[in-house]
Amino acid sequence: MKAADATDRDKYVDWLRALSLIVVVVWHWAFTILQWKPHGPEPTSPLGFTSGLWILTWLLQVLPLFFYVGGHVHLLSWRRAQTRGVGIGSFVWRRIRALALPALFLSGVWVVIGAVVTYTFGVDWMWRVVLLVLSPLWFLGVYLVLIALLPVSLWLHRRYDVLTLIWLGGAALVVDVLRFRYGIDGVGWLNMVIVWGLAHQAGFFYDRVVVLPRRYDVALLWTGLFALFGLVYSGIYPGSMVGVPGDKWSNMAPPTFVIVALLLFQIGLVEVLRPAMERVLERPSWQRVNDFINRYSLPLFLFHTTGMAISLGLSWWLFGTLGDQIPPDLVWWLERPIAIIGPLICTAPVIYLFGRRRTPVRQMRDKGVGGSISSEHG
C-alpha cells in the first residue's frame, strides 16, 4: 500500500482526523457525570465507580492519534507551501492565527457570559461553569505550541530523523522518573510538550509506516500493547488513559510515558485496519460520510461543551433536573446512547451560527489539518 501524494488524498487520514475529535465529543457527552454542589457543578467519571472499565480508554483516548495525524498533515502542508514559495514563518503564523481565532472568540464569549451572570445574579459558581465549558480546549493550546515549534521539529526531522523520536521518548521517561521517584511534581508538565511533541513528530514518519509490510504493523500493535500492560501493571501508572477522580496520578494531566506506549499501540492498530477501511471509504456513501464529518468535526469539538451547557440549562428550566445519579445505576448506563441527543440538538444551531464553512470541503481539506480545523470553520 503506497502513501497518498499531494494529488491523491489519503481518505483514511481524513477519517482518522475527524473520528478522533468526534470520539472525544461523544465521550464528554455520554460519560460525564455532573454533580451540583454548593460551590457549583463538579464533573466526575463512571471510571471511578466501575472496576475494569478503564481498559476501554486504551481505544477511546485518541488524542495521541490526533497529534500523530496532525504531524503528518503539517509536513505535507509545509512541503506544498514550499513549492509555492511560502516561508516557514508565514506558514506557521497563518496556522496559528487560523486556529487561535475561533478558540479565542469562543473563550471571549463565555468570559462575557460569566461576568454578566455573576454580577447580575450574584452567583459565584458561574465562573466554574465557564471553566468547565472551556477546559476541553486545553489540547488546542498544546497544538498551537507545536505549530509554533514547527521550524525546530522540521529541522530535527531533517537532521536527526528517527533519533529525534528516541530522544523525546527518553526525555519523557526521565521526566516521569523525576516526578514519581523523586517527587518533583512540577517537572511533569514538561511532558505536555515532550509527549505530545513526540506524537506530532511521529507523524512525520507516517508515509514510511504506511509502506511497511503488514507484519511490521502487527509488531507495532503488539509492542505498544505489551508496553501498556507492563507499564500499567508495574504499579506506577494508573490503567486509565484519562483522569479518574480518586487516582493518585493521571496519565493525561500531565501526560506520562504510558501515552508513548498508547501511541505505538494505536498506530499499529490503525495500520492493521487500514486495508479494510480503505476499501470501505471508497464506497460513495462512506465518502459522503467522511466529507461530512471532516467538515464539521472541529466546529463540533469547539462548541460541544457549549451545547452541553445549553442542554443542561434547558433540562433544569423545563424539568427541574440537574446532575446525575452517583454512583451510576443501571438506568444511567441504559440511557447512555440517548444522552448525546440533547447536547447534539443544542450544539447544532451554535455550529450553524458560528461554525459554518465558507468554502467547499474538498478545497479546504487540501490545506491540511492547519487549515481544516481553523478559519474555514468560520
Side-chain angles (χ1 to χ4, degrees), residues 36-54:
W36 198 270
K37 297 187 175 181
H39 59 271
E42 184 173 300
T44 187
S45 166
L47 297 177
F49 304 98
T50 308
S51 176
L53 190 63
W54 51 265

PDB file of all heavy atoms in Angstrom, residues 36-54:
ATOM      1  N   TRP A  36     -24.041  18.627  41.280  1.00  0.00           N
ATOM      2  CA  TRP A  36     -24.205  20.033  41.616  1.00  0.00           C
ATOM      3  C   TRP A  36     -23.997  20.209  43.115  1.00  0.00           C
ATOM      4  O   TRP A  36     -24.759  19.706  43.914  1.00  0.00           O
ATOM      5  CB  TRP A  36     -25.583  20.543  41.215  1.00  0.00           C
ATOM      6  CG  TRP A  36     -25.597  22.045  41.163  1.00  0.00           C
ATOM      7  CD1 TRP A  36     -25.903  22.903  42.170  1.00  0.00           C
ATOM      8  CD2 TRP A  36     -25.246  22.854  40.046  1.00  0.00           C
ATOM      9  NE1 TRP A  36     -25.767  24.199  41.763  1.00  0.00           N
ATOM     10  CE2 TRP A  36     -25.365  24.206  40.449  1.00  0.00           C
ATOM     11  CE3 TRP A  36     -24.842  22.585  38.740  1.00  0.00           C
ATOM     12  CZ2 TRP A  36     -25.104  25.280  39.590  1.00  0.00           C
ATOM     13  CZ3 TRP A  36     -24.584  23.643  37.895  1.00  0.00           C
ATOM     14  CH2 TRP A  36     -24.716  24.966  38.307  1.00  0.00           C
ATOM     15  N   LYS A  37     -22.949  20.922  43.462  1.00  0.00           N
ATOM     16  CA  LYS A  37     -22.599  21.157  44.854  1.00  0.00           C
ATOM     17  C   LYS A  37     -22.717  22.639  45.182  1.00  0.00           C
ATOM     18  O   LYS A  37     -22.900  23.451  44.274  1.00  0.00           O
ATOM     19  CB  LYS A  37     -21.185  20.630  45.117  1.00  0.00           C
ATOM     20  CG  LYS A  37     -21.067  19.119  44.916  1.00  0.00           C
ATOM     21  CD  LYS A  37     -19.721  18.589  45.345  1.00  0.00           C
ATOM     22  CE  LYS A  37     -19.680  17.064  45.237  1.00  0.00           C
ATOM     23  NZ  LYS A  37     -18.370  16.515  45.685  1.00  0.00           N
ATOM     24  N   PRO A  38     -22.623  23.024  46.458  1.00  0.00           N
ATOM     25  CA  PRO A  38     -22.775  24.440  46.816  1.00  0.00           C
ATOM     26  C   PRO A  38     -21.841  25.379  46.062  1.00  0.00           C
ATOM     27  O   PRO A  38     -22.198  26.517  45.756  1.00  0.00           O
ATOM     28  CB  PRO A  38     -22.474  24.444  48.319  1.00  0.00           C
ATOM     29  CG  PRO A  38     -22.867  23.084  48.778  1.00  0.00           C
ATOM     30  CD  PRO A  38     -22.509  22.167  47.649  1.00  0.00           C
ATOM     31  N   HIS A  39     -20.629  24.900  45.730  1.00  0.00           N
ATOM     32  CA  HIS A  39     -19.692  25.753  45.017  1.00  0.00           C
ATOM     33  C   HIS A  39     -19.872  25.674  43.505  1.00  0.00           C
ATOM     34  O   HIS A  39     -19.130  26.307  42.755  1.00  0.00           O
ATOM     35  CB  HIS A  39     -18.249  25.374  45.376  1.00  0.00           C
ATOM     36  CG  HIS A  39     -17.908  23.952  45.050  1.00  0.00           C
ATOM     37  ND1 HIS A  39     -18.108  22.924  45.937  1.00  0.00           N
ATOM     38  CD2 HIS A  39     -17.385  23.382  43.930  1.00  0.00           C
ATOM     39  CE1 HIS A  39     -17.718  21.782  45.383  1.00  0.00           C
ATOM     40  NE2 HIS A  39     -17.273  22.033  44.175  1.00  0.00           N
ATOM     41  N   GLY A  40     -20.861  24.899  43.049  1.00  0.00           N
ATOM     42  CA  GLY A  40     -21.128  24.825  41.630  1.00  0.00           C
ATOM     43  C   GLY A  40     -21.027  23.409  41.087  1.00  0.00           C
ATOM     44  O   GLY A  40     -20.921  22.444  41.838  1.00  0.00           O
ATOM     45  N   PRO A  41     -21.046  23.266  39.762  1.00  0.00           N
ATOM     46  CA  PRO A  41     -21.014  21.940  39.152  1.00  0.00           C
ATOM     47  C   PRO A  41     -19.647  21.290  39.320  1.00  0.00           C
ATOM     48  O   PRO A  41     -18.609  21.942  39.220  1.00  0.00           O
ATOM     49  CB  PRO A  41     -21.303  22.230  37.681  1.00  0.00           C
ATOM     50  CG  PRO A  41     -20.851  23.634  37.467  1.00  0.00           C
ATOM     51  CD  PRO A  41     -21.117  24.346  38.751  1.00  0.00           C
ATOM     52  N   GLU A  42     -19.658  20.000  39.556  1.00  0.00           N
ATOM     53  CA  GLU A  42     -18.416  19.245  39.702  1.00  0.00           C
ATOM     54  C   GLU A  42     -18.524  17.973  38.874  1.00  0.00           C
ATOM     55  O   GLU A  42     -19.344  17.107  39.162  1.00  0.00           O
ATOM     56  CB  GLU A  42     -18.153  18.908  41.161  1.00  0.00           C
ATOM     57  CG  GLU A  42     -16.820  18.206  41.396  1.00  0.00           C
ATOM     58  CD  GLU A  42     -16.518  18.051  42.879  1.00  0.00           C
ATOM     59  OE1 GLU A  42     -16.426  19.087  43.575  1.00  0.00           O
ATOM     60  OE2 GLU A  42     -16.385  16.899  43.324  1.00  0.00           O
ATOM     61  N   PRO A  43     -17.692  17.845  37.817  1.00  0.00           N
ATOM     62  CA  PRO A  43     -17.771  16.653  36.964  1.00  0.00           C
ATOM     63  C   PRO A  43     -16.984  15.493  37.539  1.00  0.00           C
ATOM     64  O   PRO A  43     -15.985  15.675  38.229  1.00  0.00           O
ATOM     65  CB  PRO A  43     -17.142  17.139  35.653  1.00  0.00           C
ATOM     66  CG  PRO A  43     -16.125  18.153  36.092  1.00  0.00           C
ATOM     67  CD  PRO A  43     -16.703  18.817  37.321  1.00  0.00           C
ATOM     68  N   THR A  44     -17.444  14.310  37.269  1.00  0.00           N
ATOM     69  CA  THR A  44     -16.692  13.117  37.599  1.00  0.00           C
ATOM     70  C   THR A  44     -16.924  12.112  36.478  1.00  0.00           C
ATOM     71  O   THR A  44     -17.531  12.431  35.449  1.00  0.00           O
ATOM     72  CB  THR A  44     -17.091  12.536  38.964  1.00  0.00           C
ATOM     73  OG1 THR A  44     -16.215  11.464  39.301  1.00  0.00           O
ATOM     74  CG2 THR A  44     -18.527  12.045  38.965  1.00  0.00           C
ATOM     75  N   SER A  45     -16.420  10.895  36.650  1.00  0.00           N
ATOM     76  CA  SER A  45     -16.433   9.917  35.567  1.00  0.00           C
ATOM     77  C   SER A  45     -16.917   8.572  36.080  1.00  0.00           C
ATOM     78  O   SER A  45     -16.647   8.211  37.233  1.00  0.00           O
ATOM     79  CB  SER A  45     -15.015   9.771  34.996  1.00  0.00           C
ATOM     80  OG  SER A  45     -14.898   8.630  34.178  1.00  0.00           O
ATOM     81  N   PRO A  46     -17.603   7.801  35.227  1.00  0.00           N
ATOM     82  CA  PRO A  46     -18.023   6.460  35.649  1.00  0.00           C
ATOM     83  C   PRO A  46     -16.837   5.532  35.884  1.00  0.00           C
ATOM     84  O   PRO A  46     -16.988   4.490  36.522  1.00  0.00           O
ATOM     85  CB  PRO A  46     -18.884   5.971  34.484  1.00  0.00           C
ATOM     86  CG  PRO A  46     -18.428   6.771  33.304  1.00  0.00           C
ATOM     87  CD  PRO A  46     -18.061   8.110  33.863  1.00  0.00           C
ATOM     88  N   LEU A  47     -15.653   5.913  35.384  1.00  0.00           N
ATOM     89  CA  LEU A  47     -14.469   5.081  35.594  1.00  0.00           C
ATOM     90  C   LEU A  47     -14.131   4.941  37.071  1.00  0.00           C
ATOM     91  O   LEU A  47     -13.515   3.956  37.487  1.00  0.00           O
ATOM     92  CB  LEU A  47     -13.266   5.672  34.854  1.00  0.00           C
ATOM     93  CG  LEU A  47     -13.377   5.746  33.327  1.00  0.00           C
ATOM     94  CD1 LEU A  47     -12.153   6.420  32.752  1.00  0.00           C
ATOM     95  CD2 LEU A  47     -13.564   4.369  32.728  1.00  0.00           C
ATOM     96  N   GLY A  48     -14.512   5.946  37.861  1.00  0.00           N
ATOM     97  CA  GLY A  48     -14.227   5.904  39.284  1.00  0.00           C
ATOM     98  C   GLY A  48     -15.157   4.987  40.062  1.00  0.00           C
ATOM     99  O   GLY A  48     -14.922   4.720  41.242  1.00  0.00           O
ATOM    100  N   PHE A  49     -16.217   4.487  39.398  1.00  0.00           N
ATOM    101  CA  PHE A  49     -17.219   3.674  40.087  1.00  0.00           C
ATOM    102  C   PHE A  49     -17.349   2.272  39.499  1.00  0.00           C
ATOM    103  O   PHE A  49     -18.113   1.467  40.007  1.00  0.00           O
ATOM    104  CB  PHE A  49     -18.586   4.358  40.022  1.00  0.00           C
ATOM    105  CG  PHE A  49     -18.591   5.758  40.563  1.00  0.00           C
ATOM    106  CD1 PHE A  49     -18.496   6.846  39.710  1.00  0.00           C
ATOM    107  CD2 PHE A  49     -18.666   5.990  41.930  1.00  0.00           C
ATOM    108  CE1 PHE A  49     -18.498   8.138  40.202  1.00  0.00           C
ATOM    109  CE2 PHE A  49     -18.665   7.284  42.431  1.00  0.00           C
ATOM    110  CZ  PHE A  49     -18.581   8.358  41.560  1.00  0.00           C
ATOM    111  N   THR A  50     -16.630   1.996  38.403  1.00  0.00           N
ATOM    112  CA  THR A  50     -16.788   0.727  37.707  1.00  0.00           C
ATOM    113  C   THR A  50     -15.426   0.068  37.534  1.00  0.00           C
ATOM    114  O   THR A  50     -14.560   0.604  36.854  1.00  0.00           O
ATOM    115  CB  THR A  50     -17.440   0.938  36.331  1.00  0.00           C
ATOM    116  OG1 THR A  50     -18.635   1.696  36.495  1.00  0.00           O
ATOM    117  CG2 THR A  50     -17.774  -0.392  35.676  1.00  0.00           C
ATOM    118  N   SER A  51     -15.232  -1.065  38.118  1.00  0.00           N
ATOM    119  CA  SER A  51     -13.953  -1.765  38.045  1.00  0.00           C
ATOM    120  C   SER A  51     -13.703  -2.318  36.649  1.00  0.00           C
ATOM    121  O   SER A  51     -14.581  -2.950  36.051  1.00  0.00           O
ATOM    122  CB  SER A  51     -13.927  -2.913  39.066  1.00  0.00           C
ATOM    123  OG  SER A  51     -12.741  -3.664  38.961  1.00  0.00           O
ATOM    124  N   GLY A  52     -12.512  -2.048  36.121  1.00  0.00           N
ATOM    125  CA  GLY A  52     -12.103  -2.622  34.848  1.00  0.00           C
ATOM    126  C   GLY A  52     -12.508  -1.847  33.621  1.00  0.00           C
ATOM    127  O   GLY A  52     -12.030  -2.139  32.513  1.00  0.00           O
ATOM    128  N   LEU A  53     -13.385  -0.838  33.765  1.00  0.00           N
ATOM    129  CA  LEU A  53     -13.842  -0.083  32.604  1.00  0.00           C
ATOM    130  C   LEU A  53     -12.707   0.725  31.975  1.00  0.00           C
ATOM    131  O   LEU A  53     -12.770   1.076  30.791  1.00  0.00           O
ATOM    132  CB  LEU A  53     -14.995   0.840  33.008  1.00  0.00           C
ATOM    133  CG  LEU A  53     -15.749   1.530  31.870  1.00  0.00           C
ATOM    134  CD1 LEU A  53     -16.442   0.521  30.979  1.00  0.00           C
ATOM    135  CD2 LEU A  53     -16.755   2.531  32.427  1.00  0.00           C
ATOM    136  N   TRP A  54     -11.646   1.001  32.739  1.00  0.00           N
ATOM    137  CA  TRP A  54     -10.541   1.816  32.228  1.00  0.00           C
ATOM    138  C   TRP A  54      -9.887   1.209  30.996  1.00  0.00           C
ATOM    139  O   TRP A  54      -9.269   1.933  30.203  1.00  0.00           O
ATOM    140  CB  TRP A  54      -9.486   2.016  33.313  1.00  0.00           C
ATOM    141  CG  TRP A  54      -9.005   0.772  33.986  1.00  0.00           C
ATOM    142  CD1 TRP A  54      -9.462   0.235  35.152  1.00  0.00           C
ATOM    143  CD2 TRP A  54      -7.984  -0.127  33.512  1.00  0.00           C
ATOM    144  NE1 TRP A  54      -8.787  -0.927  35.451  1.00  0.00           N
ATOM    145  CE2 TRP A  54      -7.874  -1.166  34.461  1.00  0.00           C
ATOM    146  CE3 TRP A  54      -7.148  -0.147  32.406  1.00  0.00           C
ATOM    147  CZ2 TRP A  54      -6.966  -2.211  34.320  1.00  0.00           C
ATOM    148  CZ3 TRP A  54      -6.241  -1.190  32.255  1.00  0.00           C
ATOM    149  CH2 TRP A  54      -6.153  -2.199  33.203  1.00  0.00           C
TER     150      TRP A  54
END
